[in-house]
Amino acid sequence: MAKTSARQGTAPRNYPKGERRRAQIIEAAFTAFGQVGYRNASMVQLAAACDVSRAGLLHHFPTKESLLEAVLEERERQDDAHFFGSGAVNRDGLEYFASMIRLVAHNQANPLIVSLFAVLSGEATAADHPARPYFVARYERTRRQMQLAVDDLVRRDLLRPHVDASGLAADLIAFIDGLQIQWLLSPDAIDMPDHLRKLLRGLISIELP
């Protein structure tokens, strides 16, 4: 679920050279992992993609696992900074779900983001996948944050009468993730932010900002 610069990981020109190179490597890995998955992207291929030697790549990221971790952390950092920058957003149910729609719209304009998440989260269901701990923690964190937003709507009597708030966060995450898969397969047939807004309109009694 998945959100910034149009090119993920691109560093400003005024970054020190080492930081620029690190950001370029993360960007190249972001693309490779999103296209072919973690297991199929070799360090040799990643080094070639960002025009560095394998030794140069290992200088910044000693292992493939450390590079994967950096890619995932950078993606989440960008999403948080641009769509959920204030912790208060999570406690304001209306603002949280309005931000979620904006994030989904951003993802729809950047298919590599959606591809990265879909490919890696699927791979990470394997018990030995290095990204499994990240995705377990990420889903737990997202459910907790979203439930805070749902609880705020309950307190303000903004959920429609038929809506059961218990477990709603998990249901909404499942909807968004499933929508992303459908969109990857049929991008011309699915408008992700429109579908999400329509679903939320059936759950929340006032229009989101």
Side-chain angles (χ1 to χ4, degrees):
M1 186 173 59
K3 134 135 332 121
T4 78
S5 59
R7 296 285 294 164
Q8 306 305 311
T10 302
R13 291 182 182 275
N14 60 352
Y15 269 33
K17 183 178 179 180
E19 292 185 32
R20 287 203 307 272
R21 177 60 73 189
R22 187 178 189 277
Q24 289 165 359
I25 293 170
I26 291 174
E27 180 179 0
F30 181 99
T31 301
F33 291 153
Q35 289 176 337
V36 303
Y38 169 79
R39 297 192 186 280
N40 292 328
S42 73
M43 292 293 271
V44 172
Q45 291 170 326
L46 291 168
C50 49
D51 197 27
V52 296
S53 66
R54 189 172 187 276
L57 176 60
L58 294 175
H59 170 73
H60 293 281
F61 298 99
T63 65
K64 190 178 172 185
E65 290 84 356
S66 66
L67 178 54
L68 175 62
E69 182 180 358
V71 168
L72 293 170
E73 288 178 350
E74 177 63 13
R75 177 193 186 276
E76 189 163 3
R77 184 196 67 77
Q78 291 184 12
D79 284 352
D80 287 345
H82 288 82
F83 299 98
F84 305 98
S86 169
V89 171
N90 296 330
R91 295 188 294 273
D92 184 327
L94 295 179
E95 182 57 35
Y96 177 89
F97 286 111
S99 295
M100 185 61 66
I101 292 172
R102 290 191 289 269
L103 172 59
V104 169
H106 169 78
N107 287 350
Q108 183 164 283
N110 295 274
L112 273 178
I113 294 176
V114 184
S115 178
L116 174 78
F117 182 86
V119 171
L120 291 181
S121 61
E123 286 187 342
T125 59
D128 63 342
H129 197 282
R132 183 182 178 92
Y134 168 83
F135 278 100
V136 169
R138 184 184 186 280
Y139 273 111
E140 289 176 351
R141 183 167 58 252
T142 303
R143 284 194 299 271
R144 184 170 61 252
Q145 292 169 345
M146 191 174 289
Q147 194 61 49
L148 285 173
V150 170
D151 292 344
D152 175 67
L153 296 178
V154 171
R155 285 192 297 270
R156 295 159 66 183
D157 198 26
L158 295 178
L159 285 184
R160 297 190 183 278
H162 69 279
V163 177
D164 181 1
S166 62
L168 183 57
D171 293 342
L172 288 171
I173 293 169
F175 176 85
I176 294 169
D177 284 1
L179 198 60
Q180 290 183 152
I181 298 298
Q182 293 184 65
W183 177 75
L184 285 170
L185 294 171
S186 303
D188 294 333
I190 301 294
D191 185 322
M192 292 195 292
D194 183 62
H195 278 278
L196 179 57
R197 184 177 287 277
K198 287 177 179 176
L199 176 72
L200 292 172
R201 192 174 288 141
L203 302 175
I204 302 172
S205 59
I206 65 174
E207 191 70 17
L208 290 169

